[in-house]
């Protein structure tokens, strides 16, 4: 639900990689704002020391998607903001200007009036269901894209219940199945690596090596303490009151999705001093699936680490939450400059069979070394006096003081890392001569006609930020203009 505009340097890299100047930040910013309707928060419903700073002037006010600050802020979040500033992650007011490095209160896709989540379904679909030129096929699975003998997309074969039929396209087919299903549907339709298609008996329409490759994702892990202030560990006992406040006037704890504070930074010099040469200055190498480079290849304003806070105990996703009457809080670290590249491959010629997803997390030395530095940075945040004075006990609850050496830290990270499910770039955008590029700058699939991909799989890479949803909306608005203009 987090909404933020990615870094200016990320869009410079995007424009350079695909050879299209219209992807510079100065241009894409208008598409971010075209999508949104920003409403200022009701400050009287938030804590006095939870007042966000922002300039409303450039923000979209008339778009279909509602964004705002939640009507509730946990007291724990205010302390994290203090801790981040104490370790050098300065307050940057907002993440709505193309600058990420720093810390700020997080804007979310929330309807200010109802407190409920704002989504593409509510913003772009529900208001227009009565249009005569819109047909929605519920419970329907896209089976394959139909091409004629000239490799022109003619429509999509679909199945509803026990009935299979073809939806014909007069102009073009636009695929928006996400990073997993878009790649899967292309492959079962004959667009993908020829060797993979032939293995499953699929006629090759276009041999595109990059379909399903180049998968980018972000992972996180955290450190938890017992704290001396109310968090969700005990506040959840008042859920009946929470529900009443939410349903009555869209206030209270249920209006907050968590993650109320975000922070971003480059790993500080003292922690990167021991990085290996392959991490800090690795040249571009031809890998099996992707042209990958380590930290030196990222733009100067691209953060390497993200901070996230949740007012509760966060383990590895499966560890039981303590139920002992204490209040727990976690500070989480997110890998913002991952160099490990995954892939998505079909398991059969049928869409009803799930694809094989190989995320390949922590398979580069850069990702390992940066993650270890991130863990140490979390401990530095927990050690600032403002937080130490507010702890119930000084000892770290999770993972605890037994985790000290780099080897122990790496082992902890590997057993506790949790994906953010931000899988992207499996049908990467690029120049026509790039053998791994699947689509061009207008989303058109190389090697065929009248077929586009418009979703996060079409990113050339996963841009930094709290989440890719804002980039996805921006890209969709941008390509929608191109479609309407016949481009």
């Amino acid at each position: 639900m987090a909404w933020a505009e990615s870094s200016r340097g990320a869009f410079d890299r995007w424009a350079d990689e695909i050879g299209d100047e219209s992807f510079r930040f100065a241009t894409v910013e208008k598409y971010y704002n075209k999508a949104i309707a920003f409403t200022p928060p009701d400050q009287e419903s938030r804590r006095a020391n939870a007042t966000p700073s922002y300039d409303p002037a450039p923000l979209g006010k008339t778009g279909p998607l509602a964004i705002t600050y939640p009507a509730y802020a946990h007291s724990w979040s205010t302390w994290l903001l203090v801790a981040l500033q104490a370790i050098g992650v300065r307050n940057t007011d907002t993440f709505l200007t193309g600058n990420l490095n720093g810390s700020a209160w997080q804007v979310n896709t929330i309807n200010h009036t109802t407190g409920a989540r704002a989504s593409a379904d509510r913003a772009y679909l529900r208001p227009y269901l009565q249009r005569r030129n819109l047909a929605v096929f519920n419970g329907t699975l896209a089976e394959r894209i139909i091409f004629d003998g000239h490799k022109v997309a003619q429509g999509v074969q679909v199945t509803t219940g026990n009935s299979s039929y073809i939806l014909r396209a007069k102009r073009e087919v636009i695929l928006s199945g996400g990073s997993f299903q878009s790649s899967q549907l292309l492959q079962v339709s004959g667009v993908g690596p020829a060797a993979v298609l032939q293995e499953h008996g699929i006629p090759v329409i276009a041999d595109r090596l990059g379909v399903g490759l180049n998968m980018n994702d972000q992972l996180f892990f955290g450190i938890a303490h017992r704290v001396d202030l109310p968090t969700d560990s005990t506040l959840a006992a008042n859920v009946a009151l929470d529900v009443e406040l939410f349903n009555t006037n869209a206030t209270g704890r249920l209006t907050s999705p968590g993650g109320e504070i975000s922070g971003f930074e480059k790993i500080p010099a003292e922690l990167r001093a021991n990085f290996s040469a392959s991490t800090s200055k690795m040249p571009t190498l031809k890998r099996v699936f992707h042209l990958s480079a380590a930290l030196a290849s990222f733009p100067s304003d691209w953060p390497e680490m993200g901070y996230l806070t949740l007012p509760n105990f966060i383990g590895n996703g499966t560890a039981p939450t303590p139920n002992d009457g204490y209040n727990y809080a976690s500070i989480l670290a997110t890998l913002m400059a991952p160099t490990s590249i995954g892939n998505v491959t079909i398991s059969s010629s049928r869409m009803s069979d799930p694809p094989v997803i190989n995320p390949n997390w922590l398979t580069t030395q850069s990702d390992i070394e940066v993650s270890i530095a991130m863990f140490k940075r979390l401990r530095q945040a927990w050690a600032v006096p403002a937080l130490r004075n507010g702890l119930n006990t000084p000892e770290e609850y999770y993972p605890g003081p037994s985790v000290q050496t780099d080897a122990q830290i790496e082992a902890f990270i590997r057993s506790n890392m949790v994906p953010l499910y931000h899988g992207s770039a499996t049908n990467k955008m690029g120049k026509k001569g790039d053998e791994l590029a699947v689509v061009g700058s207008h989303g058109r699939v190389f090697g065929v006609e009248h077929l586009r991909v418009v979703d996060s799989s079409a990113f050339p890479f996963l841009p930094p930020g709290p989440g890719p949803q804002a980039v996805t909306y921006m890209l969709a608005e941008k390509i929608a203009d191109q479609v309407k203009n016949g481009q």
Side-chain angles (χ1 to χ4, degrees):
M1 294 174 67
W3 183 272
E5 298 175 5
S6 193
S7 75
R8 294 169 184 267
F11 286 108
D12 284 341
R13 178 177 175 179
W14 190 321
D16 292 340
E17 283 197 12
I18 70 172
D20 187 337
E21 291 295 305
S22 72
F23 276 90
R24 304 284 179 196
F25 182 80
T27 302
V28 302
E29 184 179 26
K30 72 177 181 182
Y31 289 108
Y32 274 120
N33 288 318
K34 184 178 180 181
I36 62 173
F38 172 76
T39 303
D42 290 329
Q43 197 51 52
E44 62 271 15
S45 68
R46 293 171 61 95
R47 299 175 187 276
N49 58 350
T51 303
S53 299
Y54 57 90
D55 178 7
L59 302 179
K61 311 295 192 305
T62 60
L65 185 71
I67 71 167
T68 189
Y69 293 92
Y72 180 91
H74 287 82
S75 57
W76 162 244
S77 299
T78 67
W79 286 106
L80 178 67
L81 197 60
V82 172
L84 290 180
Q85 293 189 66
I87 63 171
V89 185
R90 61 180 178 81
N91 185 270
T92 191
D93 290 342
T94 179
F95 302 124
L96 301 173
T97 62
N99 299 303
L100 289 175
N101 285 309
S103 57
W105 292 99
Q106 182 64 60
V107 177
N108 297 95
T109 47
I110 293 175
N111 183 298
H112 176 267
T113 301
T114 66
R117 179 175 188 163
S119 65
D121 174 70
R122 292 173 181 266
Y124 287 85
L125 177 60
R126 297 290 166 180
Y128 309 106
L129 286 175
Q130 304 307 313
R131 282 190 175 181
R132 296 180 62 185
N133 62 348
L134 173 64
V136 178
F137 294 80
N138 289 316
T140 299
L141 177 67
E143 301 280 8
R144 66 187 179 99
I145 301 162
I146 305 298
F147 295 94
D148 66 13
H150 302 286
K151 302 184 180 182
V152 177
Q154 299 289 296
V156 181
Q157 179 182 333
V158 302
T159 298
T160 305
N162 295 322
S163 300
S164 183
Y165 50 99
I166 294 175
L167 300 174
R168 297 286 180 182
K170 291 182 178 180
R171 296 184 180 179
E172 60 182 329
V173 174
I174 299 176
L175 176 55
S176 299
S179 286
F180 303 148
Q181 267 64 55
S182 285
S183 297
Q184 182 187 13
L185 186 57
L186 286 176
Q187 291 179 40
V188 301
S189 303
V191 180
V196 173
L197 306 185
Q198 291 164 355
E199 177 186 348
H200 295 284
I202 300 170
V204 178
I205 304 297
D207 181 10
R208 301 304 307 180
L209 177 63
V211 176
L213 305 185
N214 193 54
M215 177 181 157
N216 293 194
D217 198 0
Q218 296 161 336
L219 55 89
F220 72 90
F221 54 86
I223 293 176
H225 274 264
R226 287 175 175 170
V227 295
D228 234 354
L229 72 169
T231 68
D232 282 352
S233 303
T234 56
L235 291 173
N238 298 318
V239 67
L241 175 61
D242 295 330
V243 171
E244 180 182 355
L245 289 172
F246 184 85
N247 290 336
T248 302
N249 53 18
T251 61
R253 196 169 58 92
L254 297 186
T255 64
S256 172
E260 296 159 350
I261 293 289
S262 291
F264 302 94
E265 68 170 351
K266 296 280 191 184
I267 299 297
E270 70 270 16
L271 289 178
R272 64 194 307 128
N274 294 323
F275 282 175
S276 62
S278 63
T279 294
S280 58
K281 294 183 178 180
M282 186 167 77
T284 301
L285 301 174
K286 182 66 178 290
R287 297 191 179 276
V288 176
F289 294 124
H290 184 57
L291 287 171
S292 179
L295 302 183
S297 72
F298 289 93
S300 60
D301 68 347
W302 186 304
E304 296 159 353
M305 173 182 181
Y307 292 88
L308 176 67
T309 177
L310 289 173
N312 211 332
F313 170 83
I314 304 296
N316 60 4
T318 61
T321 299
N323 186 21
D324 52 14
Y326 288 100
N327 283 291
Y328 291 85
S330 303
I331 306 179
L332 311 173
T334 303
L335 185 62
M336 279 289 133
T339 56
S340 300
I341 302 300
N343 56 84
V344 179
T345 308
I346 54 175
S347 60
S348 76
S349 61
R350 298 180 299 274
M351 283 298 293
S352 55
D353 294 328
V356 177
I357 302 169
N358 172 25
N360 248 5
W361 294 311
L362 294 184
T363 53
T364 66
Q365 190 64 24
S366 171
D367 286 356
I368 295 169
E369 292 182 0
V370 171
S371 295
I372 291 172
M374 287 162 45
F375 180 92
K376 295 176 180 179
R377 197 69 170 133
L378 291 182
R379 279 189 167 160
Q380 290 178 356
W382 275 111
V384 304
L387 288 194
R388 300 302 296 176
N389 294 336
L391 298 180
N392 182 274
T393 60
E395 186 173 282
E396 179 180 285
Y397 182 82
Y398 190 82
S402 62
V403 177
Q404 292 295 331
T405 67
D406 284 1
Q408 290 169 338
I409 293 172
E410 180 183 346
F412 167 78
I413 292 170
R414 288 189 179 279
S415 61
N416 286 271
M417 62 183 183
V418 179
L420 276 172
Y421 302 104
H422 291 170
S424 303
T426 54
N427 298 308
K428 67 166 283 192
M429 186 178 290
K431 298 176 183 177
K432 193 170 185 178
D434 180 353
E435 66 175 353
L436 294 181
V438 177
V439 302
S441 63
H442 291 189
R444 291 198 183 95
V445 177
F446 292 130
V448 298
E449 301 292 331
H450 295 187
L451 176 62
R452 300 189 205 229
V453 177
V454 187
D455 57 30
S456 62
S457 75
F459 297 173
F461 46 77
L462 175 56
Q469 76 153 338
V471 184
T472 306
Y473 279 104
M474 176 279 295
L475 181 64
E477 288 283 7
K478 190 174 189 298
I479 295 182
D481 270 2
Q482 294 165 347
V483 171
K484 288 183 287 187
N485 294 329
Q487 298 175 328

